[in-house]
């Protein structure tokens, strides 16, 4: 027989959760923290504050006015974000502060802070559920609520970057078989670099693009290339037809512009990898903590938008099979060509070494790239001479 108090408690919790869902659907940005606090106080979870990660992944920015920013690398909140784990600390007054990562699949949005008097297993489970719910709410609402964008910026953004960022997908996506994650810098002065990734059925699609120049025209070139790719993908085109669509779109609408790029498709159940490289640096493979830099090297082809002028030959589609645990790295030349004050390039070996060492240390895929892009920025004292974009795919199929 079910205890009456437990039954009532569960029923009340369900009613409060239903109220929270309705309130978050109707709330304005200013009302969202109020609705959240109403729920957490009624559930004896105390005061709640949402912190969102800034564009450069260095700060946790409070959604609520009056709360301080938190440094990602020097706070317990940052540790919860970096490790995708719950962190608990005791307050001087005897209460507890609980930090929970806000995760929407593989994407890391920030952290949730809850201050409460005590914590047990049931309450912790409810805290985790609340964090998962909030991550989905924020993901859904940020497409039309600019407050989220405002909170994650520390300074103004250039117009070409604003246009290009409107096309970018979430930084990380994933399933139980694969994670695709990307970083791009400079965050506020991006020129012609971009990435894209998505799923159709059992295929992961990934793209990296680098347009000529560093102005509005280069951002427009990348945007047209990305739109052409998505249009072809969503009509069911195969990889060869997809690349042809992008070539034709650029040749028709921007005949004086071109860009390089890699288009890739991974069949997640089998690990079959198909790709087309259009004048871009060769993707890398890291297998069992070793760099296989020539694994995906094939004869060079012209950049996107130029084939009709340079060659009548069709685009080549290449194929190979990954091994479980493989990491595929797509990158733009600004990554390895970044130079320090003495003129030394960051280089391919240092690039791969950062990936290998961070992975060996147990860092998750998005954290590996966050650490890497910060290492590249530190190499240049945060002043990049060119855009630097990295996309990493990590394939880990379930065991037999």
């Amino acid at each position: 027989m079910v205890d009456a108090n437990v039954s009532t408690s569960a029923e009340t919790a369900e009613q409060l959760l239903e109220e929270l869902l309705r309130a978050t659907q109707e709330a304005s940005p200013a009302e969202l923290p109020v609705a959240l606090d109403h729920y957490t106080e009624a559930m004896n979870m105390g005061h709640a504050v949402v912190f969102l990660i800034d564009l450069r992944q260095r700060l946790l920015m409070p959604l609520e006015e009056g709360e301080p920013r938190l440094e990602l690398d020097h706070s317990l909140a940052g540790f919860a974000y970096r490790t995708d784990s719950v962190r608990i600390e005791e307050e001087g007054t005897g209460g507890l502060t609980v930090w929970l990562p806000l995760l929407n699949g593989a994407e890391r949005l920030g952290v949730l802070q809850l201050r409460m008097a005590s914590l047990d297993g049931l309450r912790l489970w409810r805290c985790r559920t609340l964090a998962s719910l909030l991550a989905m709410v924020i993901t859904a609402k940020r497409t039309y609520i600019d407050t989220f964008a405002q909170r994650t910026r520390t300074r103004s953004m250039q117009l070409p970057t604003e246009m290009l960022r409107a096309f970018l997908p979430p930084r990380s996506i994933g399933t139980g078989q694969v994670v695709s994650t990307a970083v791009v810098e400079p965050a506020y002065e991006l020129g012609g670099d971009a990435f894209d990734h998505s799923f159709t059925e059992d295929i992961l699609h990934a793209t990296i693009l680098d347009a000529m120049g560093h102005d509005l025209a280069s951002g427009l070139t990348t945007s047209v290339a990305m739109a052409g790719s998505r249009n072809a993908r969503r009509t069911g085109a195969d990889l060869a037809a997809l690349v042809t669509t992008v070539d034709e779109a650029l040749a028709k609408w921007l005949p004086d512009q071109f860009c390089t790029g890699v288009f890739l498709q991974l069949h997640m159940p089998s690990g079959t990898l198909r790709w087309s490289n259009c004048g871009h640096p060769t993707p890398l493979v890291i297998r069992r903590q070793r760099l296989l830099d020539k694994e995906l090297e094939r004869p060079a082809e012209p950049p996107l938008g130029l084939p009709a002028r340079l060659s009548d030959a069709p685009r080549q589609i290449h194929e190979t099979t990954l091994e479980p645990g493989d990491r595929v790295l797509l990158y733009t030349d600004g990554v390895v060509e970044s130079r320090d004050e003495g003129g030394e390039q960051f280089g391919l070996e240092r690039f791969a070494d950062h990936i290998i060492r961070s992975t060996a240390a147990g860092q998750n895929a998005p954290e590996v790239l966050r650490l890497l892009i910060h290492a590249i920025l530190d190499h240049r004292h945060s002043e990049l001479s060119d855009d630097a974009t990295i996309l990493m795919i990590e394939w880990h199929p379930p065991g037999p």
Side-chain angles (χ1 to χ4, degrees), residues 74-374:
H74 301 96
S75 66
L76 198 61
F79 190 82
Y81 175 90
R82 299 192 315 267
T83 60
D84 297 343
S85 63
V86 177
R87 298 287 101 183
I88 302 171
E89 61 181 331
E90 293 185 9
E91 296 182 345
T93 57
L96 299 173
T97 299
V98 182
W99 300 99
L100 301 106
L102 293 173
L103 299 167
N104 184 36
E107 186 183 14
R108 307 184 297 178
L109 303 174
V111 296
L112 170 65
Q113 179 194 45
L114 293 167
R115 294 191 180 102
M116 60 188 72
S118 61
L119 185 66
D120 56 25
L122 177 60
R123 193 170 298 162
L124 178 59
W125 177 80
R126 286 172 173 168
C127 291
R128 290 178 182 273
T129 302
L130 175 61
S132 296
L133 173 64
L134 282 175
M136 289 188 286
V137 168
I138 292 168
T139 300
K141 285 182 170 290
R142 66 182 176 182
T143 58
Y144 62 89
I145 293 181
D146 280 348
T147 300
F148 295 122
Q150 291 174 332
R151 292 288 189 270
T152 57
R153 297 182 184 185
T154 57
R155 56 192 174 92
S156 60
M157 181 175 289
Q158 291 186 355
L159 178 60
T161 308
E162 191 75 63
M163 179 186 68
L164 195 50
R165 278 199 173 275
F167 276 85
L168 294 183
R171 188 182 286 118
S172 302
I173 62 173
T175 70
Q177 296 179 324
V178 68
V179 171
S180 178
T181 184
V183 287
V184 58
E185 285 282 353
Y188 297 91
E189 301 90 16
L190 187 63
D193 275 19
F195 68 90
D196 196 17
H197 46 200
S198 68
F199 295 109
T200 58
E201 302 298 333
D202 54 4
I203 300 291
L204 166 69
H205 304 259
T207 303
I208 195 164
L209 298 164
D210 184 0
M212 172 188 67
H214 200 274
D215 52 19
L216 187 63
S218 58
L220 183 60
T221 302
T222 304
S223 299
V224 169
M226 196 179 302
S229 169
R230 289 175 177 174
N231 181 254
R233 188 171 69 222
R234 291 165 183 172
T235 55
D238 62 18
L239 190 55
L242 184 150
V243 180
T244 298
T245 298
V246 176
D247 275 327
E248 292 175 348
L250 290 176
K252 178 178 181 179
W253 300 109
L254 297 167
D256 296 326
Q257 298 290 121
F258 67 89
C259 69
T260 67
V262 175
F263 299 89
L264 175 153
Q265 293 179 350
L266 174 64
H267 182 245
M268 293 181 288
S270 67
T272 299
L273 183 74
R274 304 179 73 243
W275 77 98
S276 175
N277 188 338
C278 306
H280 201 78
T282 300
L284 309 177
V285 175
I286 294 179
R287 176 174 297 159
R288 293 187 291 275
Q289 310 302 322
R290 290 180 57 247
L291 171 64
L292 308 180
D293 59 322
K294 305 293 185 182
E295 181 74 9
L296 304 184
E297 187 173 288
R298 300 294 187 274
E301 294 204 33
L304 293 154
L306 295 182
R309 288 183 249 169
L310 300 179
S311 172
D312 294 330
R315 291 286 190 185
Q316 296 299 303
I317 305 300
H318 312 289
E319 184 174 312
T320 190
T321 302
L322 298 182
E323 295 185 10
D326 278 358
R327 293 168 182 84
V328 180
L329 288 153
L330 311 180
Y331 64 97
T332 59
D333 52 16
V335 172
V336 295
E337 293 177 2
S338 172
R339 296 178 183 272
D340 62 15
E341 293 174 343
E344 181 185 2
Q345 285 191 344
F346 191 80
L348 197 60
E349 290 186 9
R350 192 179 314 188
F351 172 53
D353 185 59
H354 270 273
I355 297 283
I356 292 169
R357 285 192 291 108
S358 298
T359 304
Q363 307 287 359
N364 57 58
E367 183 64 10
V368 168
L369 286 201
R370 187 188 77 89
L371 293 171
L372 174 58
I373 198 67
H374 287 174

Side-chain angles (χ1 to χ4, degrees), residues 18-32:
E18 182 184 9
E19 290 177 10
L20 175 64
L21 284 168
R22 185 169 59 252
T24 56
Q25 294 298 321
E26 299 172 352
S28 68
E31 294 168 338
L32 189 58

